[in-house]
Structures are given as structure tokens and as C-alpha cells.
Amino acid sequence: MKWDIRIVSLTSSKKLVNAVAEPKRPQKQSIKQLGPIELSANKVIVRVDFNVPMHNGIITDDSRIQAALPTINYLLGNNATVILISHFGRPKEGFCKQYSLAPISDRLAELLGQPVIMAPACTGNEVSQLIENSESQDVIVLENIRFEPEEQANGIGLAQQLAALGDLFVQDSFGTVHRNHASTAGIAQYLPSYAGLLLDKEITILSNAITSPKRPLVAIIGGSKVSSKLHVLVSLLEKVDTLVIGGAMVYTFLKAQGKSVGKSLCEDNQIELAKAFLAQIQTTTTKVIFPVDHRVVTEVSNDAVVSTVSSDNILENHIGVDIGSETVQLIQSELKTAETIIWNGPLGIFEIEQFSTGTKAIAQTLAHSNAVTIIGGGDSAAAIKQAGLSDQMTHISTGGGASLEFLSNRPLPGIDVLADHE
Ligand code: ADP
Ligand code: MG
């Protein structure tokens, strides 16, 4: 169904409005403002996101390493020594070969066309010595930061030990700026700290999209859970001209309206909040579009028989797995006039070919649109890649959770600690 809302006086105590006017995120100083005078012969610690997909020790997609190259090359070009910190996977504390950054450091060396020094750890005498003996234009990769017990607890001791290894800190891991860890936020309290080129690009594009977008601005929010994205919906409702909601979270909203959702994914503990959001929609002039039809199955499998039903006709044994063709057309007609489109969250179970129809159709529409198109979210980026359309988007954010927090103007510890732009 579609709300073209104009009304209303709402007195619900459950109103989900952002309680205070949102503070503007201050601009951060980037390394672009630093040149040879500040960088030459300095040891620059860069937090990068080398958390790449790997299968049997082979990197299956090196985009994240490639994304770090502009910053690394900029620093090397200004005669700095570059010390890289990253996490990889979810290891337990202590060294574990399976989670070593060694294969990543080898790939980095290939991409840079120069040797890269792989440190045996992140801290300790051997590492300090190695860095002390390094020269300008050397690249050193520290071992997986999550081998350190204090990393995720943002231990002061670890933050200080890391900071002691260099002269400057550069944040270039947008994918982890929503984490308050020693290598993402703690370290920046002890060193002059700046945004890297990748982070700077993310900040510029995402903040333009929400603070001064070319309008109409349309946001498409899908994915699996209301619980992980409701705050984003609330925040975007005030900023966008049209909000399109898809994916499994639709079923929590339908249930909140008293409709049957069959066996579709639904978060019963979010129903009250979903009701409050539906009431909040009535207080804005923002156009909100929910799916009008759904592709449903009775079992989630590759060869399931798919039928299409309207939102009022989901049966007890139905599982909603994708948006229907009428909804696709509805969204497409809305996107025709859009000047900026933000998309986060697939519109169906895109991992299964026959449930990826809606997601693919909308991806194609974005690819052929003249609007600024911004994709956030790990699964959304994967869906666009699967459709072979990555090159046709204006920007695919390297941060999943971080891009959501950014769009909803929430604190981002890894950005908030950096030096403000004067
Ligand atoms: P992103 O990583 O882009 O932010 P999410 O993690 O929020 O996206 O959601 C992605 C997941 O949502 C995918 O695994 C997809 O299968 C799932 N999803 C989308 N629509 C449905 C649906 N109708 N039923 C079940 N899961 C869904
Ligand atoms: Mg995801």
C-alpha cells in the first residue's frame, strides 16, 4: 500500500521522532590537507579494512585492499613510512594462522608493486624494533589486530601502545568506524588524527546525499530486520521525499496493521515500534511506499513454486520472499524523477536466483538512472555485484553498518575522534 500523507495531528506517546534536533556532523580534516612537510619521514599509522573474503587461504575478492591503495600511495608519494592496521575475520585472542594477514600483505605487495613488511604481531619489542629500523616509503602490515585481547574492549593500554608506533594516525576503514575499538577510536586520542582518502570520499558522498542532495531524494530500505533498521527509517523519513520499504521487514509492518503474513520472516517483538512508525508516517509529508504485491512460496528452496499475491491475501502457509511485479513498477515509476537515490537492503532473498527478481529489476533501474545512486550495506553491494552492475552506480559504500549509522546521523566513534576541519 501507498501512503501519500498530508495530515495530521498525532499525540501518540510512542512517537518515534528523533527527540532533539540532529547536530550537524563536523567536517573532518583529511590527509589531502597534509603534504610533504607534515608527512615526509614520518611514520603514519593507517587503520584500513582488509577484512576480505577468503576461501582456503585464497582471497576471493580484493576490492577492500584496492580501496585502500589511494591513501597508501598518497602517503608513500609524500615520503612517509606506512604502518597498516586491520582486523580479519573473528579470531579468538592470540595468534591463529588461519586469521593471519600474511596472504593479504602478499596481495598488497603485488598491487603496490613493492615489497611489504609483514610484522609478527601488533605490539611488542620485535614490532617496535621493526618499525624503528624502517625507512621512508616502507610499508609495514601489522598482524590481525583482533589477536589483541584489548582491541574490542578499546583498552587504553593497547591504544597507547599502537599510538607509540607512529607519528600520525589516519582513519581509512569506513567499514569499522561505528566500532569503538582500540584501533578504530582509542588510538586517535593519542596522535594527531586525520581522515584517509577513502574515508573522506565516503563522508563527502554520504553527507551530501542527506544534507544537500539533488531532489527528489528517494531512499529504498530493504533487508531482513526492522530491529536493525528502524532508526534509519525514522531518520530518513524526515530527510527524503520518498521512502520505499521492502525486504522481509515489510512483514513486521503488515502484521502491525493486523494483516496476515503467513510464515514470512517477522519480528514479533518489533510490532509495537512498527505501529508507532506507521503512526509517525501520518505526521509527515514524505511519501512512503510499501509493497503492494509479494512473491510467495510455501518453502524456501531453489525449485519452490512461486506465486504472487497482494498484501491483503498472504495465506497462512505463504512465505514472502520477494516483491511482486506491480511493486517493481510502482518503485520504478517513483525512481523516474528521482535525482538522488539511496539504497540499503535487498528487496527479497536475492541469494536464491528465483527470489532475486525484484532486487535485480530495481538494480537495473538504478543502473540506467541519471540520478546520483548510492548503495550502502554489505548484502546490497553483493546483490549489485551479482547483477554485474557495480560500475554503474555512483557510489557503493564500503561500510555496511557504518553507512546506516552515518545516514541516521548517529555517533561514529572512528570519525568523531578525528581532527575537525577548520
Ligand atoms: P544489507 O547488508 O545490505 O544492509 P541486510 O543485512 O539488512 O542488508 O539484509 C540482507 C538480507 O535480507 C539478505 O540475506 C536477504 O536474503 C534478506 N531478505 C530480504 N528480503 C527477505 C525476505 N522477504 N525474507 C527473508 N529474508 C529476506
Ligand atoms: Mg547484511
Side-chain angles (χ1 to χ4, degrees):
M1 94 225 24
K2 175 172 171 180
W3 279 275
D4 242 315
I5 308 305
R6 333 211 163 272
I7 341 173
V8 165
S9 71
L10 181 92
T11 50
S12 167
S13 57
K14 291 203 194 85
K15 201 174 165 195
L16 290 163
V17 275
N18 296 323
V20 282
E22 287 180 352
K24 201 168 178 315
R25 206 180 279 283
Q27 274 199 311
K28 296 297 177 181
Q29 213 169 327
S30 99
I31 52 168
K32 273 191 292 195
Q33 278 101 41
L34 305 178
I37 296 169
E38 292 95 342
L39 295 173
S40 185
N42 263 334
K43 294 181 168 49
V44 182
I45 303 174
V46 189
R47 178 53 159 104
V48 288
D49 183 1
F50 283 169
N51 189 27
V52 292
M54 203 183 284
H55 189 64
N56 293 336
I58 311 282
I59 298 165
T60 53
D61 180 355
D62 66 3
S63 323
R64 287 186 170 167
I65 309 176
Q66 304 238 25
L69 295 178
T71 290
I72 298 171
N73 281 323
Y74 180 84
L75 296 171
L76 295 176
N78 283 291
N79 294 321
T81 304
V82 177
I83 303 161
L84 301 168
I85 303 181
S86 179
H87 76 285
F88 170 54
R90 293 169 187 261
K92 298 210 175 80
E93 288 164 16
F95 180 84
C96 167
K97 190 161 183 284
Q98 188 195 343
Y99 292 105
S100 169
L101 284 177
I104 294 168
S105 139
D106 290 345
R107 181 76 189 116
L108 176 64
E110 281 168 26
L111 292 169
L112 285 173
Q114 76 165 69
V116 167
I117 302 162
M118 183 65 217
C122 287
T123 56
N125 284 340
E126 207 180 327
V127 177
S128 312
Q129 208 57 52
L130 202 140
I131 291 174
E132 212 139 282
N133 296 337
S134 66
E135 291 176 6
S136 149
Q137 297 190 317
D138 278 352
V139 177
I140 300 160
V141 172
L142 302 187
E143 197 38 287
N144 193 339
I145 187 69
R146 293 218 180 140
F147 292 163
E148 295 287 337
E150 284 188 15
E151 162 65 355
Q152 297 191 65
N154 192 6
I156 293 174
L158 177 60
Q160 288 176 334
Q161 284 176 65
L162 293 173
L165 299 174
D167 306 301
L168 298 175
F169 174 66
V170 173
Q171 174 63 269
D172 214 25
S173 172
F174 184 61
T176 54
V177 288
H178 57 313
R179 310 261 182 234
N180 194 18
H181 295 171
S183 74
T184 61
I187 180 175
Q189 287 172 330
Y190 305 102
L191 284 176
S193 298
Y194 306 94
L197 301 180
L198 174 63
L199 181 70
D200 193 55
K201 184 173 155 203
E202 291 274 7
I203 293 178
T204 306
I205 293 178
L206 293 178
S207 40
N208 282 346
I210 48 169
T211 57
S212 50
K214 275 174 89 182
R215 289 182 182 273
L217 167 61
V218 180
I220 307 168
I221 306 296
S224 50
K225 289 183 174 171
V226 168
S227 53
S228 63
K229 294 194 181 166
L230 187 61
H231 66 287
V232 186
L233 297 179
V234 171
S235 177
L236 288 176
L237 189 62
E238 293 171 14
K239 300 187 178 82
V240 303
D241 300 296
T242 304
L243 180 59
V244 178
I245 301 179
M249 70 171 120
V250 164
Y251 302 107
T252 305
F253 286 114
L254 288 181
K255 196 161 182 184
Q257 291 176 302
K259 293 191 196 264
S260 160
V261 298
K263 294 192 185 122
S264 309
L265 195 62
C266 179
E267 290 175 284
D268 286 333
N269 63 1
Q270 299 291 306
I271 298 277
E272 288 307 310
L273 289 169
K275 280 184 187 165
F277 181 70
L278 291 172
Q280 191 171 338
I281 289 173
Q282 308 288 329
T283 69
T284 74
T285 51
T286 305
K287 188 192 255 186
V288 179
I289 297 178
F290 279 91
V292 288
D293 61 347
H294 308 259
R295 301 184 76 229
V296 297
V297 293
T298 51
E299 53 160 23
V300 177
S301 72
N302 278 319
D303 46 12
V305 178
V306 184
S307 48
T308 302
V309 297
S310 73
S311 296
D312 290 316
N313 291 308
I314 300 175
L315 302 180
E316 276 315 305
N317 63 344
H318 280 163
I319 307 166
V321 288
D322 196 4
I323 52 174
S325 55
E326 213 181 304
T327 305
V328 168
Q329 282 172 22
L330 185 63
I331 300 173
Q332 284 174 331
S333 73
E334 197 59 37
L335 295 180
K336 260 189 205 138
T337 51
E339 293 285 348
T340 307
I341 306 167
I342 298 171
W343 184 6
N344 180 295
L347 302 173
I349 307 180
F350 75 99
E351 296 92 336
I352 297 178
E353 174 69 24
Q354 64 162 345
F355 308 151
S356 65
T357 317
T359 302
K360 272 195 194 140
I362 299 305
Q364 285 287 356
T365 307
L366 260 70
H368 294 120
S369 165
N370 290 325
V372 172
T373 47
I374 298 169
I375 313 298
D379 290 294
S380 314
I384 302 277
K385 193 165 194 171
Q386 187 179 296
L389 298 171
S390 302
D391 293 350
Q392 296 179 57
M393 304 298 153
T394 310
H395 180 65
I396 299 188
S397 176
T398 53
S403 66
L404 287 178
E405 300 309 273
F406 196 100
L407 292 173
S408 43
N409 214 17
R410 286 199 164 175
L412 287 166
I415 292 179
D416 299 340
V417 283
L418 304 178
D420 288 345
H421 197 330
E422 277 116 51

